[in-house]
Amino acid sequence: MNTVVSNIQILRAVAAQSVATYHLQPMINASFGTDLKLPVGAMGVDIFFVISGFIMFYTNHRSDRTATEFLANRFIRIAPLYWLATGCIAVLFVLGFHPNGLHHLTPEIFIRSLMFIRSDFPDGRTDLVLSLGWTLIYELFFYTLFATTLAVSSTTFRLLIITTLLSVAVTTRFAFTLFSEPPPLLCSTILFEFWFGCALASLYLMWKPMRSRSMLIVATGTLVLGIALSIQGAAFHQERLDEWRVVYFGIPALLIVSAALLYERIGLRGTNRIALLLGAASYSLYLFHPILLQSTVKITARLLPSNSDLSPILAALSASAVAIAASILIYLQIEKRILRAGHNFTKKLNRNRVVTSGIDNTKLHAQISTAASTTISRLTDLELQVTSSGYSLNNTEHSSDTTRT
């Protein structure tokens, strides 16, 4: 089964570029004195979370991978490239730069960041060296919860288990709130966005509508509604994560991903190779765009006239182009190799498990065969004994008859 959903792959590119555009605005403002404030781009993260839930549920619904194999695969998928991006920021800081506003860095903070553990900075924030890594903390937490469902083959039961686990995690948040304690980071309501994706995957696997004008209207209406709500929801966006984000950004993200899946199901899927490549490189773009955008904007700000209205536009376009091109290069030269290594590693784990299972089965078959042979041998001996006793009895009876005669 082909597990690649083309529209979802393209939507990943849109989500990554949305986040990049959101982060690009303050960089342009700082360099050119503009006042760009379009927070809707931040919803790219929420689209990513819904897509992540969908992909995990959809691609593993018939998988026989163990939880260990699954988690190893996901960790290799997430961590090495994140470590590389974090390392690049640390190197730039050591060289005297302040990438993404980083003004303080210690070995302890760096190591904690590599372990996805946030640290307290002098400016009062609790963060990672690569700030956007907070989303990866939620990703890894969701993967851990999802791994517990792999022992169940029924998609319905899997969805029920993940629903229960996410509900318990979020409920814990409100329990802390009742006692006026700060809730744990991993108890945010944003976790339900992963559930949105899981539920969509469950429906997508069961429902295969025919292509018709009515379904096209439904898909288009869902997309338009999702975009409209996301623009409206941007008015409620805050820099800090809040419990209502799942409503003002999560629901629009759900609608947009649903529309993409509806288009896919009725045969309207994206086939443009460049768009699909951008989707494949979306993780590289997501991790490295802060460094790439900031450096390009600073360079173009020195080259372009500061009094021109076109300068901010040209700087933004140049920075976006550089970020996209560099991300594709990182994907092709680095990320794909990491993915290949991760695939080979988990494949080896699976092969070892199969071999071990085969050895155990061979031992079991040998034990059964030995027991069967022993049983047959004993039955044969018993039969011979009975047969021998029968002959002796006949001979005795024959002798008695002769004597009587």
Side-chain angles (χ1 to χ4, degrees):
M1 181 187 69
N2 182 15
T3 57
V4 176
V5 181
S6 299
N7 289 353
I8 293 297
Q9 189 79 324
I10 294 174
L11 191 56
R12 289 177 61 196
V14 174
Q17 187 56 50
S18 296
V19 175
T21 301
Y22 172 70
H23 290 150
L24 177 61
Q25 295 173 85
M27 299 177 190
I28 296 294
N29 293 340
S31 297
F32 295 93
T34 53
D35 188 29
L36 300 174
K37 292 180 181 179
L38 295 174
V40 68
M43 197 187 73
V45 168
D46 305 85
I47 294 176
F48 268 129
F49 282 177
V50 177
I51 289 176
S52 181
F54 172 83
I55 291 176
M56 291 305 101
F57 203 91
Y58 177 66
T59 58
N60 290 283
H61 78 284
R62 288 182 179 176
S63 174
D64 61 347
R65 287 193 295 184
T66 64
T68 301
E69 293 166 1
F70 170 78
L71 290 174
N73 177 271
R74 299 318 302 170
F75 188 79
I76 294 172
R77 174 72 178 92
I78 294 294
L81 207 62
Y82 163 76
W83 291 337
L84 180 61
T86 301
C88 289
I89 290 180
V91 169
L92 289 173
F93 180 84
V94 171
L95 293 176
F97 298 97
H98 299 287
N100 308 120
L102 183 66
H103 293 276
H104 178 77
L105 182 62
T106 65
E108 180 185 358
I109 291 177
F110 177 71
I111 294 173
R112 286 171 61 90
S113 288
L114 294 181
M115 299 171 64
F116 298 95
I117 301 174
R118 301 187 304 166
S119 301
D120 294 327
F121 285 81
D123 58 5
R125 63 191 175 95
T126 302
D127 209 348
L128 301 169
V129 172
L130 181 60
S131 296
L132 51 76
W134 70 267
T135 61
L136 303 183
I137 297 176
Y138 283 103
E139 288 277 357
L140 292 172
F141 181 60
F142 168 67
Y143 295 155
T144 303
L145 296 182
F146 182 79
T148 64
T149 71
L150 294 178
V152 180
S153 58
S154 169
T155 55
T156 302
F157 281 119
R158 279 189 178 182
L159 186 60
L160 180 61
I161 292 172
I162 199 66
T163 301
T164 302
L165 293 175
L166 291 174
S167 298
V168 170
V170 173
T171 303
T172 304
R173 173 186 182 86
F174 296 103
F176 275 84
T177 304
L178 289 175
F179 294 98
S180 301
E181 295 289 337
L185 173 70
L186 295 176
C187 295
S188 172
T189 53
I190 202 172
L191 288 171
F192 281 131
E193 294 179 357
F194 294 103
W195 182 86
F196 290 164
C198 292
L200 280 179
S202 180
L203 293 173
Y204 187 78
L205 289 167
M206 294 187 297
W207 188 44
K208 298 181 180 180
M210 298 296 293
R211 182 172 181 175
S212 63
R213 170 179 280 185
S214 60
M215 289 308 306
L216 180 60
I217 293 174
V218 170
T220 304
T222 303
L223 178 61
V224 172
L225 180 60
I227 295 174
L229 288 178
S230 66
I231 295 173
Q232 183 66 31
F236 301 94
H237 175 64
Q238 302 178 24
E239 289 297 326
R240 295 184 62 184
L241 186 63
D242 66 284
E243 62 267 22
W244 292 107
R245 179 168 179 150
V246 68
V247 176
Y248 62 75
F249 272 168
I251 291 178
L254 168 64
L255 292 173
I256 291 172
V257 176
S258 298
L261 292 172
L262 281 172
Y263 282 128
E264 185 89 17
R265 266 293 183 240
I266 62 178
L268 297 177
R269 57 180 61 91
T271 57
N272 185 277
R273 291 186 176 182
I274 296 178
L276 292 172
L277 176 60
L278 290 174
S282 60
Y283 185 50
S284 292
L285 176 60
Y286 181 73
L287 289 180
F288 288 91
H289 78 262
I291 304 173
L292 297 169
L293 292 178
Q294 186 182 40
S295 57
T296 306
V297 167
K298 287 188 174 183
I299 292 173
T300 53
R302 293 183 178 183
L303 299 176
L304 296 172
S306 59
N307 57 351
S308 173
D309 293 337
L310 289 177
S311 294
I313 299 175
L314 293 176
L317 292 176
S318 300
S320 297
V322 169
I324 291 172
S327 297
I328 291 176
L329 184 63
I330 293 170
Y331 167 72
L332 294 175
Q333 298 299 322
I334 300 175
E335 186 180 353
K336 284 189 72 173
R337 297 182 182 183
I338 293 174
L339 294 177
R340 192 179 302 115
H343 175 73
N344 292 337
F345 178 74
T346 53
K347 188 176 180 181
K348 183 179 179 180
L349 284 179
N350 182 59
R351 184 167 58 248
N352 291 338
R353 176 169 59 87
V354 171
V355 170
T356 302
S357 176
I359 292 174
D360 292 340
N361 290 336
T362 301
K363 290 180 179 179
L364 179 61
H365 291 160
Q367 292 173 355
I368 293 174
S369 178
T370 300
S373 299
T374 303
T375 303
I376 293 173
S377 177
R378 289 179 178 177
L379 288 174
T380 302
D381 292 341
L382 180 60
E383 183 181 0
L384 290 175
Q385 291 175 5
V386 172
T387 304
S388 176
S389 297
Y391 281 125
S392 300
L393 180 60
N394 290 335
N395 290 338
T396 302
E397 291 177 347
H398 179 72
S399 299
S400 300
D401 291 339
T402 303
T403 303
R404 280 196 299 267
T405 303

